[in-house]
Amino acid sequence: MKKAGEKTALKRSKEEEEEQNQIFNFNRKPADEDKDDDLSDSEDSVYSGLEDSGSDAEGEEGSEEEEEDDDDDKMKERTEEEVSEEKKEDEYEHDSSDEEDIRNTVGNIPVEWYKDFPHIGYNLDGKKIYKPIRNKDELDDFLDKMENPEYWRTVHDKQTGSDIVLSDDQVELVNRLQRGQFGDVNFNEYEPMVEFFSSDVMIHPITNRPADKRSFIPSLTEKEKVSKLVHAIKMGWLKPRRVEDDGRGRYYDLWASEDSSILARHRMHLPAPKIPLPGHHESYNPPPEYLFTDEERALWEQQDPGDRKLPFVPRKYSSLRQVPAFSHFIHERFERCLDLYLCPRQRKMRVNVNPEDLIPQLPKPKDLQPFPTTQSLVYRGHSGLVRSISVSPSGQWLASGSDDGSVRFWEVCSSRCMKMVQVGGAVKSVAWNPNPSVCLLAVALDSVVLILSPSLADKQVILSSERLLSAQQEGEEPAEGNGSVVWSEAEGEELNQGVRLKIQHPKAVHQVVWHAKGDYLASVMPDNTSHLQVYIHQLSRRRSQNPFSRNKGLVQCVSFHPIRPYFFVATQRSIRIYNLVKQEMTKKLQANSKWISSMAVHPGGDHVICGSYDCKLSWFDLDLSTKPYKMLRHHKKAVRGVAYHRLYPLFASASDDGSVIVCHGTVYNDLLQNPLIVPVKVLRGHVMTHDLGVLDVTFHPTQPWVFSSGADATIRLFT
Amino acid sequence: MGGLQKKKFERGSATNYITRNRARKKLQLSLPDFRRLCILKGIYPHEPKHKKKVNKGSTAPRTFYLLKDIRFLLHEPIVGKFREYKIFVRKLKKAYGKTEWSAVERLRENKPTYKLDHIIKERYPTFIDALRDIDDALCMCFLFSTFARTGKCHVQTIQLCKRLTVEWMNYVITSRSLRKVFLSIKGIYYQAEVMGQLITWVVPYQFSHDHPVDVDYRVMATFTELYTTLLGFVNFRLYNSLNLVYPPKKLSALSASLARVVSSAEEEEAQLDHFPTEGEDMEKMEAREKELKQQEAQKKLFEGLKFYLNREVPRESLAFIIRCFGGQVSWDKSVCIGSTYEMTDETITHHIIDRPSVDKQYINRYYIQPQWVYDCVNAKVLLPVEDYFLGVTLPPHLSPFVEEKEGDYVPPEKLKIMALQRGEKTGNEQEEEEEEEEEEEEEEEQEEEEEDDNGDEEDDEEEVAEEKNLKKMEEQRSQGKVIFKVTPGKLKVENKARLEQEEKAEEKRLAIMMMKKKEKYLYDKIMFGKKRKVREANKLAAKRKAHDDAEKAKKKKARK
């Protein structure tokens, strides 16, 4: 409505104008009035909303005619109108070529076809258009060029054959075209764009072209494609796009129903051990005692990473902000991962053993008394180490042989040295004749065995021993079966000292030992190379014989069986038992030790103990086996001597570690019961000299006392 | 005679085990796939009892799996998924080779995936089983959540780990189940008691990692895959147990608002039901009640306290701990979101700070170093703040995981804390010194006892002296200088108890001599271990003493 209002206002003003025109033009031709009618029509068209510039221009043309004789006050208006009129006329001038061709109707044909004709074509009326008479020659042309200022804008029109002088506007147009510009000056190349294909839905379609037929017919190619896809989906080759879940709904109550059916598999499952929890060492600020000292640190750095007790060096930082990142963190995690899936697992049954339970329950030593417990006497006098001791069968006297070349006789109760015999050589062994009716002592030194009569007994005993020594003298001459052993009587000074007999051996004698009866005597000369290692001497007949014809190894010591005619020979690793009557070997005991040092036979005769240099003491039960019934590793150093008590169930071992260990060893008559061995006392007292401790040990024949001789030149009595 | 000859290695343990290569062939898997399968299914090698028998007489080093385990793997659906993935990779390669980008895209969209739910359920049939094994999962997730996006693993994995760990921490805060914390040089250890299970995990300090080259991240990633699934399900169950909706809506740093969702749940649990009991049960009940009470007290350790964290302290750890024990905590706005109050707040009671000094101090709050919080949690009481003030030399931080048995070395700081727990107050230093002296005396006594134990042979000193006298006299006599001298005799007092003890000791020694070789070996080993323990304890004590002496000397010098 508003627009309509405006238009009516415009119309009114125009009507007013016309009224004015009418006022000025009252004496005009009726044709003009007609025009006015036309104008009113055009006004109608204006009213209808269509612009009609043509009718306006006509109206103005009308007014132009008046202008010539009109007032000056309308000059401004007039000039405006003039401009528009000129424009109009220009439009007609530069109209399209069709209008120009109106003069020549031959059409668009090459001009050469009319070359030979005088005319050039035909006009609208069908009359020939004659070529202009060409009287211009080159000179004319030149003159024209020189004189005619319009020459440069003169163009020859081939179609009409006439020269046309271009107007200023035409020249301007040519220039613009040559510059590549639009011909129209007023044409704006940069008009604002009108968006036809915008997002706004317009009422009217941009194109109103009806849809193609093909758009109503299903496409065959598409059908082919779709069917391919459908087939792929059907066959499972194509899958619909997966819906990406963000993980929010991924979790649910997994253990909502806990069924134990799966548990069955887990019987063999060994859960991985958890990582040990950190101790004070790992703190960033540990107590000072947990930090490494310089030596500990050096040790840590030297050690192989596998041997280290801690995988890191404890450090102390004074505040939390100074703690750096731990460089091995990822590493440790990774190692843990490897352990979890690569490390073989094994179920280890760790039994928590109470160490007290491991100790065997033995009868209390208190209940096994009597046995020697304290050192009561020390026999001093020797100046060298005392190699061997022996107690007289009565138990009153003690004989000892030492490296200082003397044999001493001691009274047991008072520790007084009753007698000393200088034999002139390191004494290796002494042995008291076990026969209580004689009083004789065998002494081994160098390669001689001496028989001493110490005359420390009743007169009768002395006499009987003298008789024994001189018995065969009256009889036959010493039968020297073996030329290597020489029996001789002692003379002079030696005789005064008590030496009665000298038995000269071919080699150095290490041990002498008596038979229980007191008539036979065995001597040992260890030698690896010959079979001449043991001699058995008969005192009453002054006879010697070598029982073995073959070398069975280095003989260490020998011993007689206390009751039966058996003879024990200990070589380095074994003990052989020979039957002297049958002249054959009855048993060979394996000692399971490297080097036997000493041996003792139980007074019952069924048990043997032997000590060895590799600290062991083996107990053999001859009824059981050839292997030791028991190995005792009580000593820290080599065992030098072992001894049985004649009456009490005791045995003792002496060792280089300076101790004498007394054990209780009950032997049962019942064959079913094994001997009971209980260590009862460790006796110490000897001083270590030159790495040697106790060299020999022997029991008192009747009392539970034990004597020991040591490298410190003393003999000690433990009661 | 008669019958077929029995062939070797066709029965018995040899048939129960299978080597890794044979297992792999049986499953028709490549080594990486086999490894992945073993990790996911929790199959590990077993060490046979008689390796040579199982190895068919050879002693070559081989790893053995139980044949049953491998048979069990044969029916695993995930093996099929592995094969699918193999095919997928092959197709993808082909598509790349032909530059068929649409095919590449399509293939990528349909990349085969698998779920581990059934494996989790199978490996952990009950929820408690899962909880027992969650330690490693937590450690791994916490480690992965600290990784930067450097391409060592997928970004999604890192994000998932981060989310799961934050959820876990929120659960711990809400259920107030944290028990112990420990600042080690490796990282921060936490121990929580969830449904009766003690769960320990370690979180590295907040630094960027320099990734070692000799670590196979594929193995770690496979483990993480399993662990994230496990942790997710565990979290779900735990949140459900607190009547919380599981995927919690808000996932952010441990700001105060998070656990405010539910806070009334635990108060109902707090009351212990009383049952009519008699005699010994009564005592047990009382002990239990006491323990529970203590635990309750620990849960409310920081209740009513208002903390402010300075920017240089480990915010996440401290916020987690403080909120676990009921304290309020805030930090600077610019550090992280979730700060609830400003530093200027007048009601702040403790300002946690880790720098030598600070310019502007508020009078009505304590300025303390972060170790105080950790020590308080471990001691289960609020420790005196004086030792933790700014610029003060901190007392040693002890591991709460060490439980000293009899005979172990106990650092004096621990004794002090124990005294505090009992309620004794060691206010002034004199007492402390006295204590120390006492300790020293104790130590000396201990040493003496040990000496007695060791030196069994030694007799009374008097006896020794007497013997010496006698020896001298003997020597003199033997040398011929006989001096008759009568010395007044001393009355020998026999200490009966001592004698008896000695007798017993000797008996024992003699019995030990009679031990069998095998038992002796075992006995010696046990005793060696025991002695080494004692030796180590003594060494620590000696080191401490030396250190303290040095400190004292220094102090004296300084005083002069």
Side-chain angles (χ1 to χ4, degrees):
Chain A
M1 285 300 288
K2 200 183 173 186
K3 204 174 177 184
E6 273 178 12
K7 293 248 163 106
T8 50
L10 188 76
K11 182 188 157 195
R12 200 160 291 160
S13 66
K14 283 214 168 166
E15 277 172 352
E16 277 173 12
E17 224 175 21
E18 274 167 28
E19 274 175 11
Q20 274 188 341
N21 286 348
Q22 277 172 353
I23 288 165
F24 291 120
N25 272 1
F26 44 86
N27 48 0
R28 271 183 114 186
K29 296 170 213 172
D32 272 345
E33 277 176 355
D34 281 351
K35 268 186 186 171
D36 273 345
D37 285 342
D38 279 347
L39 233 168
S40 70
D41 279 340
S42 74
E43 270 177 11
D44 276 340
S45 69
V46 167
Y47 194 72
S48 71
L50 284 169
E51 215 151 306
D52 196 352
S53 58
S55 63
D56 255 355
E58 254 180 300
E60 274 153 25
E61 250 182 349
S63 63
E64 189 197 332
E65 285 169 17
E66 299 156 32
E67 270 171 38
E68 292 160 8
D69 43 10
D70 256 348
D71 304 356
D72 280 342
D73 55 0
K74 290 216 172 169
M75 272 302 287
K76 199 181 174 185
E77 197 189 349
R78 209 192 300 159
T79 48
E80 280 178 10
E81 280 162 16
E82 260 179 0
V83 170
S84 66
E85 194 186 41
E86 273 170 17
K87 250 190 198 167
K88 197 108 199 171
E89 278 170 356
D90 281 348
E91 263 181 53
Y92 283 114
E93 286 265 313
H94 298 289
D95 218 339
S96 65
S97 57
D98 303 338
E99 280 168 44
E100 272 176 49
D101 281 353
I102 287 167
R103 281 176 274 173
N104 193 353
T105 56
V106 283
N108 197 11
I109 54 157
V111 185
E112 293 93 74
W113 294 355
Y114 284 89
K115 197 168 60 180
D116 300 332
F117 296 98
H119 65 278
I120 202 167
Y122 306 92
N123 64 6
L124 278 175
D125 302 326
K127 301 273 173 62
K128 284 178 181 170
I129 299 173
Y130 289 97
K131 286 180 190 167
I133 299 146
R134 219 172 247 286
N135 49 6
K136 269 188 185 173
D137 53 1
E138 283 189 7
L139 192 64
D140 287 333
D141 200 31
F142 175 74
L143 288 174
D144 210 17
K145 194 178 178 180
M146 288 291 112
E147 290 166 3
N148 190 2
E150 304 286 304
Y151 177 80
W152 61 274
R153 57 165 77 183
T154 312
V155 177
H156 180 72
D157 185 358
K158 278 179 184 169
Q159 289 232 307
T160 56
S162 59
D163 287 344
I164 298 164
V165 177
L166 298 181
S167 65
D168 283 349
D169 292 320
Q170 281 167 334
V171 170
E172 176 66 12
L173 179 68
V174 169
N175 285 339
R176 286 180 64 79
L177 289 176
Q178 278 178 336
R179 267 179 273 150
Q181 288 170 334
F182 284 98
D184 190 357
V185 185
N186 296 317
F187 179 75
N188 185 7
E189 325 168 29
Y190 305 108
E191 284 280 354
M193 197 173 94
V194 180
E195 292 253 12
F196 290 107
F197 301 97
S198 67
S199 59
D200 307 327
V201 179
M202 288 183 281
I203 318 161
H204 305 290
I206 291 164
T207 63
N208 211 3
R209 192 162 147 260
D212 292 320
K213 185 188 175 185
R214 64 168 177 269
S215 59
F216 297 104
I217 302 168
S219 159
L220 278 177
T221 47
E222 272 178 16
K223 189 187 166 193
E224 205 177 334
K225 272 186 189 169
V226 168
S227 68
K228 256 188 191 172
L229 288 177
V230 166
H231 182 60
I233 289 170
K234 268 187 191 168
M235 298 302 286
W237 303 331
L238 256 185
K239 270 170 206 138
R241 185 172 296 174
R242 209 176 44 238
V243 183
E244 200 66 48
D245 57 342
D246 61 341
R248 298 255 157 183
R250 195 192 299 173
Y251 303 114
Y252 51 92
D253 194 354
L254 189 68
W255 293 279
S257 60
E258 298 194 342
D259 54 340
S260 54
S261 60
I262 317 170
L263 284 170
R265 193 187 80 79
H266 286 257
R267 229 176 302 147
M268 287 294 283
H269 179 60
L270 312 174
K274 294 199 169 190
I275 290 182
L277 293 169
H280 299 314
H281 291 277
E282 213 180 304
S283 169
Y284 88 102
N285 181 16
E289 62 268 33
Y290 288 97
L291 294 171
F292 276 172
T293 57
D294 291 342
E295 302 108 61
E296 279 171 329
R297 206 196 153 101
L299 181 75
W300 187 89
E301 275 162 5
Q302 271 179 7
Q303 272 173 333
D304 190 66
D307 297 340
R308 285 168 184 167
K309 228 182 219 174
L310 288 175
F312 54 88
V313 182
R315 285 180 177 284
K316 191 180 183 97
Y317 300 97
S318 61
S319 66
L320 190 58
R321 68 171 184 278
Q322 288 166 339
V323 184
F326 186 64
S327 57
H328 274 265
F329 197 92
I330 296 178
H331 239 132
E332 282 194 354
R333 267 298 104 210
F334 179 60
E335 301 266 296
R336 170 73 177 168
C337 286
L338 290 186
D339 281 353
L340 282 178
Y341 90 95
L342 271 185
C343 185
R345 298 186 198 170
Q346 189 177 36
R347 199 182 294 272
K348 279 238 160 119
M349 302 301 284
R350 187 176 285 272
V351 188
N352 238 342
V353 181
N354 184 7
E356 300 301 317
D357 295 346
L358 291 172
I359 299 171
Q361 286 298 320
L362 295 174
K364 282 191 177 175
K366 226 181 216 174
D367 306 338
L368 301 174
Q369 275 169 345
F371 55 82
T373 51
T374 50
Q375 175 187 310
S376 49
L377 283 176
V378 182
Y379 304 84
R380 290 176 198 279
H382 281 295
S383 55
L385 39 94
V386 186
R387 290 240 180 231
S388 175
I389 49 173
S390 184
V391 191
S392 71
S394 60
Q396 201 182 351
W397 310 104
L398 173 71
S400 67
S402 160
D403 268 9
D404 59 4
S406 66
V407 175
R408 282 176 189 250
F409 296 90
W410 314 81
E411 193 180 24
V412 168
C413 319
S414 62
S415 81
R416 186 185 296 173
C417 181
M418 295 302 290
K419 201 174 177 184
M420 189 184 76
V421 180
Q422 284 293 349
V423 288
V427 179
K428 288 277 167 3
S429 174
V430 293
W432 212 293
N433 194 325
N435 189 353
S437 60
V438 292
C439 174
L440 289 173
L441 184 79
V443 177
L445 67 139
D446 296 338
S447 58
V448 189
V449 173
L450 304 175
I451 307 294
L452 265 74
S453 173
S455 60
L456 288 169
D458 295 347
K459 216 160 210 178
Q460 202 167 3
V461 173
I462 294 168
L463 276 175
S464 72
S465 52
E466 290 292 331
R467 208 179 303 135
L468 177 70
L469 286 174
S470 53
Q472 43 46 263
Q473 269 181 327
E474 295 151 10
E476 48 215 84
E477 274 299 297
E480 312 212 341
N482 257 327
S484 49
V485 176
V486 180
W487 292 70
S488 57
E489 299 261 344
E491 290 159 352
E493 183 60 31
E494 280 183 338
L495 192 66
N496 287 347
Q497 280 192 333
V499 179
R500 288 286 177 274
L501 275 176
K502 277 171 127 183
I503 310 170
Q504 187 69 40
H505 286 68
K507 280 174 276 189
V509 181
H510 268 244
Q511 194 205 4
V512 281
V513 68
W514 288 95
H515 184 255
K517 292 267 172 61
D519 193 19
Y520 289 96
L521 175 75
S523 62
V524 180
M525 304 166 286
D527 180 6
N528 223 357
T529 52
S530 85
H531 66 278
L532 259 181
Q533 294 195 66
V534 180
Y535 273 113
I536 297 182
H537 313 286
Q538 192 180 10
L539 203 60
S540 54
R541 300 171 72 179
R542 294 201 181 178
R543 215 167 58 172
S544 306
Q545 72 170 49
N546 174 20
F548 305 115
S549 56
R550 217 179 288 164
N551 175 19
K552 297 274 186 173
L554 190 67
V555 175
Q556 295 300 311
C557 51
V558 295
S559 178
F560 287 99
H561 192 281
I563 308 157
R564 278 182 225 119
Y566 287 126
F567 189 58
F568 297 81
V569 179
T571 55
Q572 257 189 44
R573 295 185 161 222
S574 58
I575 299 168
R576 288 155 207 276
I577 306 168
Y578 293 94
N579 190 333
L580 291 174
V581 177
K582 287 184 180 170
Q583 301 273 320
E584 65 181 15
M585 193 178 84
T586 54
K587 219 167 225 177
K588 186 182 171 191
L589 306 176
Q590 292 295 341
N592 287 355
S593 52
K594 296 272 158 55
W595 199 309
I596 293 170
S597 64
S598 52
M599 173 176 62
V601 184
H602 191 266
D606 284 341
H607 302 270
V608 177
I609 50 173
C610 79
S612 67
Y613 288 114
D614 50 356
C615 325
K616 287 179 200 159
L617 182 106
S618 356
W619 174 295
F620 293 95
D621 190 336
L622 299 183
D623 295 334
L624 280 177
S625 125
T626 56
K627 294 269 159 54
Y629 159 67
K630 205 135 218 180
M631 298 285 284
L632 307 175
R633 293 172 194 80
H634 297 168
H635 288 285
K636 304 258 174 355
K637 283 186 179 170
V639 178
R640 291 262 170 194
V642 288
Y644 269 115
H645 198 283
R646 232 178 64 187
L647 303 174
Y648 291 102
L650 291 175
F651 64 92
S653 57
S655 157
D656 270 349
D657 60 6
S659 68
V660 174
I661 295 181
V662 181
C663 298
H664 178 92
T666 317
V667 173
Y668 300 96
N669 288 330
D670 180 7
L671 279 175
L672 290 174
Q673 210 162 357
N674 290 331
L676 170 76
I677 299 169
V678 183
V680 286
K681 189 72 191 172
V682 180
L683 299 168
R684 284 168 206 280
H686 284 283
V687 183
M688 303 280 290
T689 9
H690 309 301
D691 270 347
L692 293 174
V694 188
L695 297 176
D696 197 10
V697 65
T698 182
F699 274 103
H700 192 275
T702 50
Q703 297 293 324
W705 296 347
V706 68
F707 299 92
S708 66
S709 71
D712 56 349
T714 61
I715 302 157
R716 285 163 200 258
L717 168 66
F718 299 93
T719 56
Chain B
M1 288 292 160
L4 287 171
Q5 194 184 354
K6 274 183 194 173
K7 275 186 186 165
K8 254 182 165 182
F9 310 124
E10 282 194 348
R11 68 193 72 206
S13 56
T15 52
N16 289 338
Y17 292 91
I18 186 170
T19 61
R20 193 180 59 177
N21 256 344
R22 276 180 56 211
R24 213 168 54 73
K25 270 179 195 156
K26 191 171 180 125
L27 293 170
Q28 303 184 356
L29 284 174
S30 65
L31 192 57
D33 274 347
F34 179 69
R35 188 176 58 203
R36 212 140 56 111
L37 188 65
C38 284
I39 291 171
L40 295 178
K41 291 285 285 181
I43 304 294
Y44 42 83
H46 281 254
E47 184 80 5
K49 234 180 186 175
H50 302 288
K51 207 163 181 190
K52 205 172 160 190
K53 266 186 204 168
V54 172
N55 214 350
K56 309 209 165 152
S58 155
T59 48
R62 286 208 180 97
T63 47
F64 292 99
Y65 288 85
L66 276 183
L67 190 62
K68 267 187 186 172
D69 282 352
I70 300 301
R71 281 217 193 102
F72 166 71
L73 287 182
L74 276 174
H75 309 293
E76 177 55 44
I78 224 158
V79 175
K81 292 283 183 187
F82 286 166
R83 301 211 173 101
E84 249 171 57
Y85 192 83
K86 205 170 73 183
I87 294 161
F88 158 74
V89 168
R90 204 165 56 209
K91 279 183 180 169
L92 197 69
K93 259 186 195 166
K94 198 170 172 185
Y96 263 114
K98 291 181 168 179
T99 60
E100 289 172 346
W101 304 121
S102 62
V104 167
E105 200 182 333
R106 200 192 68 232
L107 282 170
R108 275 190 183 287
E109 269 166 13
N110 285 317
K111 184 177 168 185
T113 54
Y114 50 85
K115 282 194 163 183
L116 299 174
D117 306 8
H118 66 284
I119 290 182
I120 300 283
K121 174 85 187 186
E122 193 181 75
R123 284 184 69 170
Y124 308 107
T126 63
F127 181 58
I128 295 298
D129 290 334
L131 271 185
R132 255 182 226 143
D133 236 17
I134 201 107
D135 287 22
D136 286 316
L138 280 172
C139 291
M140 196 63 129
C141 286
F142 270 101
L143 172 65
F144 265 66
S145 66
T146 59
F147 277 1
R149 301 174 174 194
T150 48
K152 288 286 175 198
C153 64
H154 292 297
V155 178
Q156 289 96 323
T157 315
I158 296 173
Q159 280 167 344
L160 182 63
C161 284
K162 182 87 194 157
R163 212 191 79 204
L164 289 171
T165 51
V166 170
E167 280 167 12
W168 168 263
M169 290 209 283
N170 277 317
Y171 168 77
V172 172
I173 290 172
T174 319
S175 63
R176 300 252 171 123
S177 46
L178 193 68
R179 293 288 172 269
K180 287 167 180 175
V181 287
F182 178 49
L183 293 167
S184 85
I185 52 173
K186 291 181 184 172
I188 304 174
Y189 285 87
Y190 302 92
Q191 191 174 58
E193 193 182 349
V194 179
M195 310 223 161
Q197 302 292 326
L198 279 178
I199 294 162
T200 318
W201 71 95
V202 57
V203 183
Y205 288 113
Q206 289 280 344
F207 291 103
S208 62
H209 300 278
D210 47 343
H211 291 278
V213 264
D214 49 348
V215 164
D216 189 353
Y217 278 89
R218 286 177 303 172
V219 173
M220 303 262 280
T222 315
F223 268 103
T224 312
E225 200 179 351
L226 177 79
Y227 285 155
T228 48
T229 320
L230 172 64
L231 192 55
F233 283 119
V234 167
N235 276 353
F236 187 95
R237 176 85 177 214
L238 290 175
Y239 272 66
N240 267 9
S241 72
L242 288 182
N243 290 330
L244 289 170
V245 183
Y246 168 57
K249 289 250 167 73
K250 219 157 125 200
L251 275 175
S252 68
L254 303 160
S255 58
S257 57
L258 236 153
R260 281 290 143 78
V261 186
V262 168
S263 59
S264 58
E266 87 243 53
E267 258 130 70
E268 290 163 21
E269 294 169 25
Q271 290 156 353
L272 188 75
D273 290 344
H274 284 271
F275 298 105
T277 48
E278 288 171 14
E280 289 175 20
D281 289 347
M282 195 71 177
E283 283 172 20
K284 270 187 197 169
M285 278 291 286
E286 272 172 16
R288 226 186 106 209
E289 217 168 295
K290 203 177 166 189
E291 204 173 281
L292 269 178
K293 235 180 213 174
Q294 203 185 353
Q295 231 174 53
E296 283 307 310
Q298 196 202 357
K299 278 180 187 173
K300 291 173 183 166
L301 187 64
F302 294 142
E303 212 129 275
L305 301 184
K306 224 170 166 185
F307 290 87
Y308 187 82
L309 308 182
N310 229 25
R311 57 173 63 244
E312 69 274 4
V313 299
R315 185 193 58 80
E316 200 170 328
S317 166
L318 278 168
F320 173 56
I321 293 167
I322 291 167
R323 302 221 326 91
C324 270
F325 295 98
Q328 279 178 286
V329 63
S330 180
W331 46 83
D332 197 288
K333 254 191 220 160
S334 57
V335 175
C336 186
I337 51 160
S339 96
T340 45
Y341 43 86
E342 291 286 308
M343 188 171 74
T344 50
D345 195 335
E346 291 289 324
T347 54
I348 291 171
T349 55
H350 294 78
H351 191 129
I352 298 175
I353 189 166
D354 195 7
R355 47 178 83 179
S357 63
V358 69
D359 296 336
K360 194 190 168 195
Q361 290 199 0
Y362 290 84
I363 279 181
N364 56 354
R365 66 174 78 157
Y366 295 120
Y367 283 83
I368 47 169
Q369 303 196 36
Q371 196 192 317
W372 181 78
V373 176
Y374 296 90
D375 281 352
C376 282
V377 169
N378 291 339
K380 298 177 187 171
V381 285
L382 289 180
L383 295 172
V385 285
E386 292 83 16
D387 300 339
Y388 299 88
F389 278 158
L390 281 192
V392 170
T393 312
L394 287 169
H397 181 61
L398 298 172
S399 165
F401 303 117
V402 180
E403 271 162 22
E404 279 92 355
K405 280 176 231 138
E406 231 182 275
D408 285 352
Y409 173 73
V410 186
E413 286 83 9
K414 179 120 184 177
L415 294 173
K416 227 184 271 176
I417 288 171
M418 272 151 72
L420 269 173
Q421 280 171 339
R422 285 195 297 270
E424 295 164 20
K425 288 213 170 178
T426 51
N428 38 20
E429 284 182 18
Q430 282 184 352
E431 278 181 25
E432 278 175 28
E433 274 176 23
E434 275 172 29
E435 258 187 24
E436 275 173 26
E437 277 165 27
E438 280 173 13
E439 280 159 26
E440 280 167 21
E441 279 167 24
E442 277 172 23
E443 280 163 19
E444 278 166 21
E445 276 173 27
Q446 276 182 358
E447 279 166 23
E448 274 175 23
E449 277 170 24
E450 280 147 22
E451 275 173 21
D452 287 349
D453 288 341
N454 295 340
D456 292 303
E457 309 93 43
E458 279 178 29
D459 295 330
D460 257 354
E461 282 177 23
E462 288 176 16
E463 280 179 25
V464 173
E466 222 167 88
E467 201 142 286
K468 269 187 189 170
N469 252 350
L470 276 174
K471 263 188 191 170
K472 218 184 252 171
M473 278 166 71
E474 274 171 15
E475 275 173 26
Q476 283 167 353
R477 204 183 287 172
S478 62
Q479 285 161 8
K481 300 172 207 164
V482 184
I483 304 163
F484 289 100
K485 207 163 124 192
V486 180
T487 46
K490 268 183 201 167
L491 190 68
K492 208 171 173 183
V493 185
E494 280 193 350
N495 190 347
K496 263 197 177 170
R498 173 127 201 197
L499 271 177
E500 213 166 279
Q501 212 179 338
E502 271 175 19
E503 213 166 81
K504 268 196 177 163
E506 194 175 1
E507 245 173 62
K508 195 176 159 190
R509 245 178 304 124
L510 291 170
I512 287 168
M513 288 198 316
M514 279 309 287
M515 271 164 102
K516 280 176 194 156
K517 203 173 169 186
K518 236 182 194 174
E519 284 173 353
K520 182 86 192 295
Y521 176 74
L522 185 61
Y523 180 82
D524 281 349
K525 235 176 148 181
I526 294 172
M527 291 322 269
F528 177 77
K530 276 189 173 175
K531 271 184 189 159
R532 186 178 51 192
K533 232 179 200 177
V534 170
R535 213 166 48 226
E536 265 164 22
N538 286 346
K539 197 176 156 195
L540 281 177
K543 252 168 128 180
R544 177 69 183 215
K545 204 180 168 206
H547 178 264
D548 286 351
D549 287 350
E551 288 288 302
K552 261 183 202 168
K554 242 187 221 173
K555 256 188 205 169
K556 264 184 195 171
K557 248 187 193 175
R559 260 181 225 163
K560 277 171 191 173

